[in-house]
Amino acid sequence: MIRKALIVMPLFVFSLAACGSNADKPETSPSSTSPTPAAAVASEAAPSPSAQAPSEEAALRQAVVAYSDAFLDAKPTVGYELFSARCKERVTLSEFTGMLTAAKQMYGKAMPIKTFEAQISGDLARVTYTYDVPALNQNKEPWVREDGKWKQDDC
């Protein structure tokens, strides 16, 4: 989200006044309801690697939402904790704080994720998610699991 925000922010400033948002209207994403049936089926069967997939995706989604909320609500210490070790080496907390402050000024507040799709392979994932504001949409954003927790790795 950082790289895209840095590119999009200057362009989006000019079109911000013309954009409308349904941020006050609650959205239910298809994936927030789809893991439940899969989890129910998995709980009926013996534990297997595929039975753990819904909980892996749920944990990843929770991390993505937390990072997104921190990014758009300008909560740098919260967001920075969801940054991978590799990204922390490349971007300082001070730089990150500046980016989040700019995002807060442009977008106003966190907004619900409309759609969510994750491709998980071991401790790596690519996540695609969308918002009511297309400029914020992420396509195959890299995430990495470090010490059992998902971290944003797009720096």
Side-chain angles (χ1 to χ4, degrees):
M1 181 175 284
I2 288 178
R3 192 172 345 137
K4 188 169 186 176
L6 290 174
I7 294 168
V8 172
M9 280 184 198
L11 300 173
F12 192 69
V13 165
F14 297 111
S15 62
L16 187 59
C19 289
S21 173
N22 293 330
D24 58 333
K25 184 173 87 176
E27 295 287 335
T28 304
S29 80
S31 48
S32 67
T33 56
S34 61
T36 305
V41 170
S43 66
E44 294 173 9
S48 69
S50 63
Q52 295 177 10
S55 64
E56 272 187 12
E57 187 171 318
L60 177 57
R61 182 184 174 104
Q62 183 178 6
V64 168
V65 169
Y67 179 81
S68 173
D69 289 352
F71 193 93
L72 295 172
D73 277 338
K75 296 180 180 174
T77 54
V78 173
Y80 202 72
E81 282 305 308
L82 291 163
F83 231 13
S84 70
R86 183 182 75 84
C87 287
K88 285 180 180 178
E89 290 177 5
R90 293 179 174 206
V91 180
T92 67
L93 178 58
S94 178
E95 292 168 325
F96 188 69
T97 299
M99 288 183 268
L100 272 60
T101 300
K104 172 83 173 158
Q105 290 173 348
M106 289 184 59
Y107 303 110
K109 63 181 179 176
M111 48 188 87
I113 292 175
K114 288 176 54 173
T115 64
F116 179 89
E117 179 185 330
Q119 297 170 339
I120 301 171
S121 179
D123 288 336
L124 302 174
R126 291 288 181 165
V127 184
T128 299
Y129 52 104
T130 63
Y131 299 89
D132 281 335
V133 177
L136 293 173
N137 293 350
Q138 299 299 307
N139 187 34
K140 296 184 180 179
E141 183 178 67
W143 284 75
V144 61
R145 189 172 18 218
E146 296 176 346
D147 298 323
K149 295 181 181 179
W150 286 105
K151 305 288 183 160
Q152 201 270 11
D153 197 42
D154 187 20
C155 50

